[in-house]
Amino acid sequence: MADQNVPPRSPRDDRGWDGRQHLTPDGHRDHDPSAPNGPTGHHPYPGGQPAPGYATAGAPPARSGPQWVGPEGLGRPAQTATPGYGLPNLDDDGDPGRRVGRRRALVALGGTAAVVAGGAALAMTPKVRDLFGGDAPVGDATGTTVTDGTPARPSGQQPSTVRTYTEQNESYMGSRAGTALKKNSPTGGRTFSGPAAAAAATEVTVKTVLAKDPIRHLASRATFGATPKLLADIKRLGIDAWIRQQLEPEKIAPSAAELKLGDLPTLKLSPKQLREQREALNERGAQPEREIVDATIARQIWSERQLFEVMVDFWNDFLHVAADFDGGEAYRASFDADVVRKHALGSYPEMLVAANKHPALLLYLSQNDSRADAVNENLARENLELYSVGVDGGYTEKDVRQAALLQTGRGVNDGKYVFRPERHYLGKVKVLGFSHPNNSEDPKKADAAIDSYIAYIALHQSTAKYVAQSLATRFVSDTPPKSLVDRLAKTYAANKGMIKPMLMTLFSSSEFWASVGQKVRRPMEYLVATYRTLDVAPQAAPGFKQGDSRRTAFAQGLRQIQDKMRALGQYPMGQPTPDGYPDVYVAWTSAGTMVNGWNEAGELLAGYRTQFTFTKPEKLVAKPPTTAGAYVDAMAKRLVHQKLSSRERELILDVAGVSAGTRVDATFNGAVAAVARAILASPQHHLR
């Protein structure tokens, strides 16, 4: 795996993924609370110490433990956190002038949003697959003789039946927290003539602290976070017209930030150029595998093509190739452009066929090593388990073996896809319902047989269900209703894997509009939504000082955001293993991650990241009210686009140490940043 900080000087182009890169078992938090720098070695605070009022992941206060925040908002206390992984430990509770200390108030408010909901660890590392050994079979791979498999994975059995594997999201939702979520999810529904009709006719009956406003709901699910401008655009255009516009991203003008992506020079280079210029790039400190992540972050925050970017992120988890694998520096940007982005709103079968001929995937999963007399099963297995029918899709270990034999011969040479007929197995194969004589010595026909197989599994009925389940999990609920999944699967099958019809079915379904507050933002999503709602601009602040002559302010700022996301445990294309990031909230239960996100919000409000331009916190509300309670209401409307509950409002007033009737100026008597940060720690910002 490529080093995260320095480009590899002599990368091995035949290396695949080699395990997880997180430095701690749960991928989020430091097990040594005395270590200030976290996984990136970058201290987030000037001078190496937190600014006054910043939270740290210390032990929880004795009066209360962490609370749960699922879709219903405030929940019951969770188990006591392990020392060192607790909730905010602010330092003013001893101040006799305060009614309630900031620590207790912020813990009561934001601790509910910690998503500490059942103790599930983030790490979900699949076992490294055993390679096939022995001589390659000759002539007919469909025979009844068992030549592969182990006692744990018998050749003729479906992997999920043996329970060696479990679908990732399903495994988390099997916890007690997952069971509780299922009780508060929408059940059943129907499809309407269009999204606006569905929104108007659907009543929200689930328990949630979020406003039951369809425009806010659409902005929260179909983008990386609502902004005042975005909400105004949806209201002006109407729900149907806004969705139609988003489904044609090529017609949406690039944002100012997207026009600045030229500041990332390696994005313009082809894989061939990246390989040829490797040493020169190393000397300049350029890291192509990190610049593609920087570019993705910029698009998530600032692009007007928000639905497209959400779908790019969806496919980056579904058809996952890590950026940081050994070879990612040359090929990951091309995979992003030529596979994921090219087909994100198009045809999934075409995407999967293209992926299976792209050097990034072939190297990532070691297909370049696979030949008839030494078969490597990695890609064949993941094509079935992760990229098509899913672990419950009905395939067996024998199917994996035969798929692996069929796919031999594919690889990479001189940086390009190549089919090597001398490495290809010849003989009849059968995988699920697909069969082929596979007996042609013509390289084009042999390669076309593999394409036919990939297209077959991409259109399999189990793939339709698996894509539908994953899409509904992303957009609707961690436990999406079966009725919706079934309708989405039918749309997928009827439209031969086209994505836009699936999205229209999704947005025209009552289940989507009934699911307000049923998703929790993952760490990356929380951070991006925070940048968006604070209206951070991509231009450098007046006080910026150029410390790195090799990179622009914009490029430096994006790298700092990426470093923060790495510290939080999630960043674009970041999962080192082929399963992508889990998409259910019980997988992200780390108080340390939550506190780290709050602190970044504080840094933004303080304007510490001078590579960007920030709105001063006292300027966020155009005409600030003169009483504390009304000012909190106005600030909540500006940042989380709705009112807070009376309890949350009172807790935020406690953070500032004032009552609702206290007279305040535009700076909230000096506490405006603390108030804004507390609102960004509320369930209303953590939920989407």
Side-chain angles (χ1 to χ4, degrees):
M1 183 178 304
D3 184 86
Q4 293 182 13
N5 300 309
V6 180
R9 294 191 177 275
S10 301
R12 291 171 49 198
D13 285 345
D14 60 348
R15 283 272 303 277
W17 63 274
D18 57 359
R20 305 185 65 84
Q21 70 197 69
H22 294 307
L23 302 183
T24 55
D26 67 358
H28 290 290
R29 56 201 181 192
D30 296 325
H31 282 247
D32 176 9
S34 66
N37 295 342
T40 64
H42 169 71
H43 202 291
Y45 310 108
Q49 295 296 330
Y54 272 68
T56 58
R63 72 185 278 272
S64 65
Q67 291 179 295
W68 289 14
V69 163
E72 71 279 7
L74 298 172
R76 62 180 179 82
Q79 296 177 348
T80 302
T82 304
Y85 308 150
L87 293 176
N89 184 10
L90 304 185
D91 56 7
D92 62 358
D93 276 8
D95 184 349
R98 290 194 177 278
R99 297 183 305 146
V100 178
R102 284 184 182 173
R103 179 204 309 161
R104 292 178 180 175
L106 194 54
V107 164
L109 174 74
T112 63
V115 202
V116 182
L122 164 66
M124 181 72 178
T125 311
K127 295 181 179 179
V128 177
R129 321 301 189 197
D130 294 330
L131 300 182
F132 290 109
D135 296 331
V138 178
D140 185 356
T142 66
T144 58
T145 302
V146 176
T147 59
D148 64 306
T150 67
R153 299 177 183 171
S155 175
Q157 292 194 32
Q158 182 176 324
S160 63
T161 303
V162 185
R163 307 317 298 170
T164 301
Y165 305 111
T166 305
E167 196 279 322
Q168 182 174 225
N169 289 334
E170 174 197 340
S171 70
Y172 285 114
M173 295 309 293
S175 66
R176 284 182 297 173
T179 300
L181 276 181
K182 294 173 186 177
K183 296 179 180 179
N184 192 41
S185 297
T187 57
R190 53 163 292 195
T191 300
F192 288 81
S193 58
T202 301
E203 179 183 3
V204 179
T205 59
V206 296
K207 297 178 181 178
T208 179
V209 297
L210 293 191
K212 298 175 181 180
D213 173 3
I215 291 178
R216 186 192 187 282
H217 177 62
L218 178 62
S220 297
R221 296 293 176 85
T223 80
F224 277 98
T227 67
K229 178 183 181 301
L230 174 64
L231 295 171
D233 285 347
I234 299 175
K235 186 174 182 180
R236 173 177 55 83
L237 292 171
I239 288 173
D240 286 348
W242 183 83
I243 291 175
R244 285 196 301 270
Q245 181 188 72
Q246 289 291 306
L247 289 174
E248 296 180 316
E250 67 280 0
K251 296 182 180 180
I252 301 175
S255 65
E258 288 173 297
L259 294 175
K260 289 173 69 66
L261 290 179
D263 291 5
L264 306 175
T266 64
L267 293 184
K268 306 172 186 177
L269 302 180
S270 68
K272 184 176 185 293
Q273 291 172 316
L274 289 170
R275 295 173 71 246
E276 291 174 346
Q277 300 177 29
R278 179 176 292 152
E279 293 300 325
L281 293 171
N282 285 344
E283 291 175 4
R284 289 165 45 195
Q287 297 171 272
E289 75 280 11
R290 297 200 70 183
E291 287 196 351
I292 184 59
V293 176
D294 294 336
T296 302
I297 293 169
R299 290 169 173 136
Q300 289 177 352
I301 296 173
W302 288 295
S303 177
E304 298 292 333
R305 305 159 180 160
Q306 279 288 297
L307 180 57
F308 177 72
E309 292 302 325
V310 169
M311 289 305 298
V312 166
D313 185 61
F314 170 81
W315 292 119
N316 271 328
D317 278 338
F318 190 92
L319 183 53
H320 179 63
V321 173
D324 286 335
F325 85 97
D326 212 349
E329 71 283 348
Y331 302 110
R332 191 53 180 85
S334 172
F335 189 84
D336 183 69
D338 300 332
V339 177
V340 176
R341 291 181 177 274
K342 181 177 180 179
H343 300 289
L345 291 175
S347 162
Y348 180 62
E350 290 181 12
M351 182 190 294
L352 188 59
V353 169
N356 271 266
K357 287 186 170 182
H358 196 282
L361 185 64
L362 295 173
L363 295 176
Y364 180 54
L365 292 179
S366 306
Q367 185 62 28
N368 199 45
D369 300 334
S370 190
R371 58 185 190 270
D373 61 344
V375 180
N376 185 304
E377 72 166 6
N378 282 0
L379 180 56
R381 178 175 299 281
E382 307 308 2
N383 270 334
L384 290 165
E385 180 183 336
L386 298 177
Y387 306 151
S388 64
V389 299
V391 72
D392 295 305
Y395 70 92
T396 68
E397 289 296 314
K398 187 175 181 180
D399 290 317
V400 173
R401 173 69 173 183
Q402 294 184 64
L405 289 168
L406 176 63
Q407 292 175 230
T408 53
R410 289 193 160 184
V412 179
N413 185 41
D414 195 27
K416 298 180 180 179
Y417 169 73
V418 63
F419 182 79
R420 302 182 178 100
E422 71 278 7
R423 292 189 177 188
H424 180 61
Y425 165 82
L426 290 177
K428 184 180 179 181
V429 293
K430 183 177 181 180
V431 184
L432 295 170
F434 175 86
S435 63
H436 198 282
N438 186 39
N439 58 4
S440 176
E441 295 185 1
D442 182 339
K444 291 184 178 180
K445 291 183 178 179
D447 198 27
I450 305 174
D451 283 346
S452 297
Y453 160 70
I454 299 298
Y456 170 83
I457 60 172
L459 291 171
H460 194 277
Q461 60 182 1
S462 293
T463 303
K465 180 180 178 182
Y466 189 41
V467 173
Q469 179 79 25
S470 300
L471 198 67
T473 300
R474 173 62 59 98
F475 281 92
V476 176
S477 166
D478 290 359
T479 57
K482 183 178 182 300
S483 58
L484 175 62
V485 173
D486 289 345
R487 292 202 305 278
L488 289 174
K490 288 181 180 179
T491 300
Y492 182 96
N495 291 276
K496 299 187 184 302
M498 297 299 293
I499 305 307
K500 288 183 182 180
M502 290 188 76
L503 288 171
M504 284 305 297
T505 297
L506 175 80
F507 293 132
S508 299
S509 296
S510 60
E511 294 94 333
F512 172 80
W513 300 98
S515 66
V516 174
Q518 298 302 294
K519 291 294 293 184
V520 179
R521 284 182 171 131
R522 298 176 294 177
M524 179 185 77
E525 296 163 347
Y526 174 86
L527 198 61
V528 171
T530 301
Y531 271 79
R532 286 177 58 77
T533 198
L534 288 176
D535 196 27
V536 178
Q539 294 78 25
F544 172 72
K545 295 181 180 180
Q546 182 73 37
D548 183 352
S549 60
R550 298 178 302 180
R551 291 190 293 169
T552 66
F554 183 60
Q556 292 178 52
L558 290 174
R559 186 59 52 84
Q560 286 193 10
I561 300 174
Q562 183 184 157
D563 288 342
K564 175 57 68 174
M565 288 181 176
R566 286 174 180 258
L568 293 174
Q570 186 193 16
Y571 58 96
M573 299 162 269
Q575 180 83 324
T577 49
D579 47 356
Y581 288 117
D583 200 8
V584 293
Y585 100 97
V586 296
W588 301 92
T589 56
S590 168
T593 298
M594 174 198 69
V595 172
N596 208 349
W598 294 351
N599 287 344
E600 178 67 4
E603 295 233 338
L604 301 185
L605 287 162
Y608 287 155
R609 303 217 181 279
T610 57
Q611 299 88 349
F612 304 123
T613 301
F614 300 84
T615 301
K616 293 182 178 180
E618 60 268 25
K619 300 289 187 181
L620 287 169
V621 175
K623 296 180 180 180
T626 57
T627 59
Y631 201 160
V632 168
D633 292 341
M635 185 68 79
K637 185 70 174 176
R638 168 63 184 80
L639 294 180
V640 296
H641 320 292
Q642 67 168 83
K643 291 184 177 180
L644 303 174
S645 70
S646 57
R647 178 184 177 186
E648 290 154 353
R649 183 174 183 258
E650 185 67 22
L651 288 168
I652 289 174
L653 291 170
D654 287 340
V655 169
V658 298
S659 62
T662 302
R663 302 285 294 182
V664 293
D665 59 14
T667 71
F668 213 97
N669 297 348
V672 65
V675 168
R677 188 169 73 102
I679 291 172
L680 294 175
S682 71
Q684 283 80 356
H685 189 55
H686 278 273
L687 298 174
R688 68 174 179 89

